[in-house]
Amino acid sequence: MNCDACKASQATVFLTQIVDGKMQKVNLCEACSKEKGVTDPTGFALADLLLGLGAAQEMERGGTVQKCPTCGFSQADFKKTGRLGCGACYQTFSEGLATLLKGMHKGTEHIGKIPARALQSIQRDSQVRTLQRDLRKAVAAEDYESAARLRDQLKQF
Amino acid sequence: MALHNILTSTGDWLGGDGPHHQIVVSSRVRLARNLGNFPFPGWAKKNERLQILEAIKPQVELLPEMSDAFSVYSQDLSALEKQVLVERHLISREHAAKGLGSAVVMNRRQTLSIMINEEDHLRMQAIRSGLQLKSVFKMIDKLDSLLEERLDFAFSPQLGYLTACPTNVGTGMRASAMVHLPALVLSEQINQVIQAVNKIGLAVRGLYGEGTEALGNLFQVSNQTTLGEKEEDIIARLHKVIEQIIEHEQNARQMLLQKRPNTLLDNIGRGYGILQHAYSMNSKEALNLLSFMKLGIDLGFFPEPCRQPVDELFMETQPAHLQKGTSQKLAADERDSLRAEIIRSKLAAFPKPSVGSGGPGNGASHSSAN
């Protein structure tokens, strides 16, 4: 039996775990088991995550969408490759991915570099949202003078 | 710029002159980027991959940093040439397996290398000798900023740069340092160090990245996570950890000199003897013995001029580098003979390790080069 991770070497480490009443099995060679940090049963979740085996299950539990409308990528493809199909997949499978990303990374929100182009459009979006909110408020308050001004500002975008 | 020019010059980062270069071989930062309106390379169809390639490659070639670049389609590189680039850490093993639809662009100094259609549309890396993660990050960050003026990268305000693998999403950045830790290995402290480093969210890998063996006592330490932390903070955190690893390695060297000088000298002496007299040697053995030579030089058992030839041998004895001068592919046993021959000739003029007149116990007095 070959290792599930590298598919090359003979598997010598056999892990079985029951999660939510379902049995999961992973067979690893010695090198891969060491690399994935599988030294005890509690380390299994990590191995699972890194192998992308549990990843697809996480997605099945979280999401209901089966295929990405932009590129046609499916959850089964993710299970097979551990990679996504396109940028829009992050939106498509967002529910399932949220759990996965949480376990994988330090945080769930990007706080690093923003490309200059995106920065402009992000700022624009937030300005538009602010104006729309102010406009709704002005209309609700029957302040039609302000509402007209805000409407003109929105038109400029 | 032709490939053979790249191959005959060793490249800046192999010069071994950066800060802490005795222990930190190189610092490297890579960024993963994708175009917004195409599937990722692994899911894109062949014609889409070609479109992506033609959208990116000319823009990369236009960068001022790439004015003297070597730029080539993957299908135009031979398997051996690709392997040489892998051994120099200029392309990944994964990229070496690519054919039509992929390309690589690198500058003449071999400090910048851009892979097109690897796992992501763009994998851009900067590499320099020694511990200089901050300046390496600046190099690649500048290049990224120039490119994003011309290319529309897949970016989400919440998740950052979108990448094929969720492990890279966010900054898309992997920063790493290659460290030479023979004393921590010899004193069997290396596993403790690896475990400690793993605990704080950094990964330790072998010479050629994920799933590879730590040959020649060389390890790559890199950030594991990419989301929820700023680039500068990741770099600063990694830098701090590498500094601590350097300190541990230096302490381990001093400990060995004081407490187990014979173990240390035995390894260095055997390394010297075998390398100078062997007629057949595989690359694993070569790397492991060269590691002890390097340690011997660091500790002052060999004169400083021995450093460069030894550093060069680390690269020249790799299988593809060994064969790049030969006209035909060599069998394993032929490679092993050639490797031994190259090492013998380079080490022929090396003096014996100078362990002092009072025997190995005096070894500590030679540890000036620390």
Side-chain angles (χ1 to χ4, degrees):
Chain A
M1 189 184 298
N2 278 354
C3 169
D4 286 340
C6 65
K7 320 260 187 237
S9 309
Q10 179 77 21
T12 51
V13 179
F14 307 98
L15 288 161
T16 307
Q17 194 178 44
I18 294 168
V19 177
D20 293 350
K22 275 190 206 163
M23 192 157 69
Q24 297 179 327
K25 281 188 177 176
V26 178
N27 311 310
L28 297 169
C29 67
E30 201 182 12
C32 289
S33 77
K34 267 193 195 144
E35 200 219 336
K36 308 283 181 199
V38 187
T39 45
D40 58 16
T42 52
F44 179 57
L46 180 69
D48 198 15
L49 204 68
L50 291 170
L51 280 166
L53 298 172
Q57 282 172 358
E58 285 292 347
M59 283 182 26
E60 275 163 26
R61 261 184 245 162
T64 47
V65 187
Q66 292 298 310
K67 273 199 172 191
C68 174
T70 308
C71 71
F73 192 83
S74 72
Q75 289 178 5
D77 294 318
F78 184 70
K79 189 171 182 173
K80 209 158 54 188
T81 63
R83 309 284 183 273
L84 292 163
C86 73
C89 287
Y90 279 93
Q91 186 63 41
T92 310
F93 305 114
S94 61
E95 280 179 58
L97 276 171
T99 327
L100 186 68
L101 291 173
K102 214 170 158 183
M104 226 173 227
H105 293 287
K106 278 215 146 184
T108 51
E109 293 250 354
H110 178 62
I111 55 169
K113 185 175 183 176
I114 298 172
R117 284 186 188 207
L119 191 62
Q120 279 168 10
S121 78
I122 289 167
Q123 282 170 343
R124 226 185 57 155
D125 287 354
S126 94
Q127 274 171 335
V128 168
R129 273 201 304 275
T130 311
L131 285 171
Q132 282 170 338
R133 196 186 55 216
D134 291 353
L135 178 61
R136 277 197 301 275
K137 268 191 206 160
V139 172
E142 297 184 16
D143 179 359
Y144 296 115
E145 206 176 312
S146 300
R149 185 170 43 82
L150 290 163
R151 183 202 58 207
D152 291 346
Q153 280 179 351
L154 268 170
K155 263 189 192 161
Q156 282 175 4
F157 280 101
Chain B
M1 178 97 205
L3 180 65
H4 69 260
N5 289 338
I6 292 262
L7 298 185
T8 46
S9 70
T10 42
D12 264 21
W13 74 267
L14 285 167
D17 50 2
H20 297 292
H21 67 265
Q22 290 190 359
I23 292 174
V24 185
V25 178
S26 63
S27 299
R28 191 151 57 114
V29 177
R30 76 116 169 93
L31 300 175
R33 299 287 185 259
N34 289 282
L35 299 185
N37 40 359
F38 284 102
F40 299 135
W43 188 243
K45 295 183 175 63
K46 195 171 165 189
N47 66 325
E48 285 172 321
R49 281 206 304 276
L50 288 168
Q51 280 177 48
I52 295 160
L53 178 60
E54 290 317 319
I56 295 175
K57 191 163 170 275
Q59 298 300 340
V60 172
E61 288 165 352
L62 276 174
L63 293 167
E65 284 85 351
M66 291 299 181
S67 58
D68 59 354
F70 165 68
S71 174
V72 68
Y73 292 112
S74 293
Q75 73 270 24
D76 295 336
L77 285 171
S78 71
L80 184 66
E81 289 168 331
K82 285 176 181 168
Q83 194 51 41
V84 169
L85 296 177
V86 171
E87 288 172 2
R88 289 198 186 182
H89 296 273
L90 292 170
I91 66 172
S92 62
R93 287 189 300 173
E94 179 169 344
H95 202 59
K98 305 277 177 181
L100 190 66
S102 295
V104 59
V105 182
M106 63 187 79
N107 66 347
R108 193 177 55 83
R109 294 166 64 207
Q110 301 174 43
T111 50
L112 294 166
S113 153
I114 299 190
M115 290 176 267
I116 305 171
N117 281 337
E118 198 237 30
E119 180 182 296
D120 295 294
H121 295 155
L122 272 162
R123 284 282 179 102
M124 327 186 254
Q125 76 155 31
I127 184 167
R128 294 181 86 165
S129 137
L131 180 61
Q132 32 189 345
L133 287 164
K134 273 173 224 172
S135 76
V136 168
F137 170 66
K138 270 192 195 136
M139 274 168 74
I140 204 65
D141 183 52
K142 188 179 156 208
L143 206 107
D144 174 55
S145 297
L146 286 172
L147 268 183
E148 76 180 24
E149 285 173 15
R150 301 162 186 178
L151 298 170
D152 210 359
F153 290 150
F155 182 87
S156 129
Q158 204 218 325
L159 292 176
Y161 292 96
L162 303 176
T163 52
C165 185
T167 52
N168 295 317
V169 78
T171 60
M173 183 183 82
R174 190 81 58 211
S176 68
M178 174 115 67
V179 286
H180 180 232
L181 308 174
L184 287 173
V185 173
L186 260 185
S187 58
E188 292 168 4
Q189 296 178 66
I190 192 69
N191 286 335
Q192 272 169 279
V193 171
I194 291 176
Q195 276 167 15
V197 171
N198 283 342
K199 263 194 192 134
I200 50 174
L202 299 173
V204 183
R205 302 192 166 102
L207 183 53
Y208 289 108
E210 218 164 324
T212 60
E213 234 179 314
L215 295 169
N217 301 317
L218 290 164
F219 298 85
Q220 282 189 67
V221 186
S222 64
N223 62 304
Q224 188 95 272
T225 60
T226 52
L227 185 62
E229 201 177 4
K230 280 187 182 161
E231 287 87 348
E232 289 81 2
D233 295 343
I234 297 175
I235 298 274
R237 199 156 60 90
L238 183 62
H239 183 94
K240 230 184 209 167
V241 170
I242 302 291
E243 277 183 336
Q244 282 173 353
I245 292 177
I246 293 171
E247 208 183 307
H248 280 296
E249 170 66 19
Q250 275 166 346
N251 289 342
R253 289 179 182 191
Q254 288 310 313
M255 276 304 249
L256 285 172
L257 277 170
Q258 284 162 21
K259 302 258 169 78
R260 295 166 61 197
N262 280 334
T263 310
L264 192 60
L265 290 170
D266 187 55
N267 277 291
I268 295 170
R270 278 168 192 272
Y272 172 79
I274 297 170
L275 287 167
Q276 229 180 22
H277 297 289
Y279 276 77
S280 174
M281 187 173 291
N282 63 30
S283 63
K284 184 176 171 178
E285 186 183 11
L287 282 174
N288 288 334
L289 295 176
L290 284 167
S291 163
F292 288 116
M293 284 299 290
K294 192 171 162 68
L295 177 63
I297 297 162
D298 289 351
L299 294 177
F301 294 132
F302 298 99
E304 197 55 31
C306 293
R307 183 179 298 282
Q308 203 193 333
V310 167
D311 281 349
E312 283 169 5
L313 281 174
F314 268 93
M315 194 56 72
E316 286 170 12
T317 55
Q318 295 289 295
H321 273 79
L322 204 64
Q323 291 176 86
K324 74 184 164 74
T326 63
S327 52
Q328 61 202 27
K329 204 174 181 314
L330 300 176
D333 59 334
E334 293 172 315
R335 286 204 302 272
D336 292 349
S337 309
L338 179 60
R339 182 176 294 113
E341 189 185 320
I342 290 172
I343 295 172
R344 278 201 320 274
S345 74
K346 220 161 194 168
L347 262 56
F350 272 37
K352 280 186 189 170
S354 111
V355 294
S357 51
N362 282 357
S365 61
H366 293 273
S367 62
S368 55
N370 209 346

